Amino acid sequence: PVPPPFQGPVRIALLEGRGRGLVASRDVAAGETLLVSHAFATGDLRSLVPAVIKRIERPGAEGGASPLETERFLHLFDGANDGELPPAGLFPSEGGAAVVTDEQTRRAQAQPLKERWERFKRIVVLNSHDLSDIHAQAGGEGDFVGIWVLPAFMNHSCRPSALSFHHGAEVMVFRAARDLREGEEVTDTYTNLFRPREERQADLLAQKGFRCNCQRCAVEAGLHEDAVGG
C-alpha cells in the first residue's frame, strides 16, 4: 500500500552559513521514519513548469492544488527568500494540525502574470529532484523530475543523515541514516554518492550552482592532496 503523507520528528530551521534546512525536532533513532512526501508535480524537464502552473492557477479544477499545498509550495526557495522561515503551523511535525495561511498566495496573486510565472519557474528549477535513473530502471524513457515540497528544504551532504526510498514515481520516504540528536541537521544528497569527489563536485556545480564542503568532501580532498604530494 502507498503510505500517506507524514511529517515526523523534523522541523524547518535557519542554519548558520547554510540558510534554511531541516533539523530533528527530538532525538531520533537510526532507521526511524522522518517524513513521507507525495509529489506536488512530476514530469519531464519541459512539462514540469506548466504542470506546476496548472495546479496552482486552477485550484478548483481536477488535480488543482489545495490552498495548503499552494502556500507550502510558495515558501520554497525562489532565489531570494532563504532567510525567511515559513510559519510554524504550515509544516507541523508528528501529526500536528496544519494552520493554513494565504500570505504567499496573496503575494503571488498580486504580481503580474508573467512575473508570477517566472517565480514559479525559479522555484521549480531550484527545488526539483531528478529521478531519471529510477524512472529508467522502471522502464521509462527520457528525463523525469519532480517537486516534493518538504524534502526540498533539506540541504545537501555527501554523507547525508537521511536516506530516501521510493514508492513508485510519486512518493518519497525518508528515514534516519544514523542516530540524530535534537537540533541536528537532516540532510539529503543531490548527486550520485558512488561517484568520486571531482565528479560529484562538477555535478553539483552544474545542477545546483555550488561546490560541496561537507565532511566527506573535506576528507577526500585531504587524501587526494596527500597522494599527490606523496
Side-chain angles (χ1 to χ4, degrees), residues 158 191 195-205 211 216-217 220-225 228:
C158 293
T191 189
R195 293 177 176 176
R197 174 181 172 274
E198 292 78 10
E199 292 184 16
R200 299 197 310 270
Q201 294 282 6
D203 181 49
L204 290 169
L205 188 61
R211 296 183 184 277
R216 176 184 170 185
C217 284
E220 291 178 7
L223 291 174
H224 175 73
E225 290 173 4
V228 172

Side-chain angles (χ1 to χ4, degrees), residues 164-186:
S164 63
F165 305 86
H166 301 271
H167 283 259
E170 301 287 331
V171 181
M172 297 182 73
V173 178
F174 289 83
R175 298 183 184 275
R178 54 184 179 270
D179 291 345
L180 301 173
R181 300 302 301 265
E182 182 178 352
E184 187 174 348
E185 187 174 9
V186 178

